[in-house]
Amino acid sequence: QVQLVESGGGLVQAGGSLRLSCATSGRNFRNYGLGWFRQAPGKEREFVAAISRSSGSTYYTDSVKGRFTISRDNAKNTVYLQMNSLKPKDTAVYYCAAGRGPVITRHFEADYWGQGTQVTVSS
């Protein structure tokens, strides 16, 4: 069983930065593909970023490319999402996800979810 706990969300002005963290429990952290998803009010959960379990390859949705960076620290069992140049449309609840597959870019590929952390970007 894997438990995921996100932190680092909050209120920030447009153009600002936040770093989300997702601490995981359980064994074999390096064997999981990891990802970040978000869900805005009234919208479906959408993919944001992913990092593969082996090579550490990264993937991003087009709207965050060049602004967000996903990384993982296998020694600390933690995955991060550095978010720069934030925009009001980035406002959402951000969820960390882990899956047994090599990479997660679709919500049904996740086996475990965190509880979510709110990110609010004011204009």
Side-chain angles (χ1 to χ4, degrees):
Q1 190 67 270
V2 176
Q3 291 185 327
L4 310 173
V5 179
E6 302 100 332
S7 61
L11 173 64
V12 64
Q13 288 188 331
S17 298
L18 285 173
R19 189 176 83 153
L20 305 183
S21 299
C22 176
T24 71
S25 64
R27 298 184 296 177
N28 303 320
F29 172 80
R30 64 180 65 245
N31 291 341
Y32 289 92
L34 302 167
W36 289 94
F37 292 74
R38 66 187 179 187
Q39 188 167 18
K43 295 188 176 182
E44 294 185 351
R45 191 170 299 188
E46 65 171 353
F47 166 73
V48 177
I51 187 165
S52 70
R53 66 184 180 187
S54 56
S55 65
S57 298
T58 57
Y59 307 83
Y60 301 93
T61 191
D62 286 345
S63 63
V64 308
K65 285 181 181 177
R67 300 189 298 122
F68 291 11
T69 302
I70 187 172
S71 61
R72 63 190 295 167
D73 187 334
N74 290 336
K76 295 183 178 180
N77 286 4
T78 301
V79 60
Y80 304 97
L81 185 68
Q82 178 66 43
M83 305 186 295
N84 299 329
S85 302
L86 282 161
K87 305 175 181 180
K89 65 179 181 179
D90 295 317
T91 295
V93 177
Y94 283 71
Y95 296 90
C96 175
R100 298 183 185 90
V103 67
I104 305 171
T105 59
R106 295 171 289 185
H107 71 276
F108 57 81
E109 294 172 329
D111 296 298
Y112 305 100
W113 292 93
Q115 82 287 352
T117 185
Q118 177 70 47
V119 172
T120 303
V121 185
S122 63
S123 58

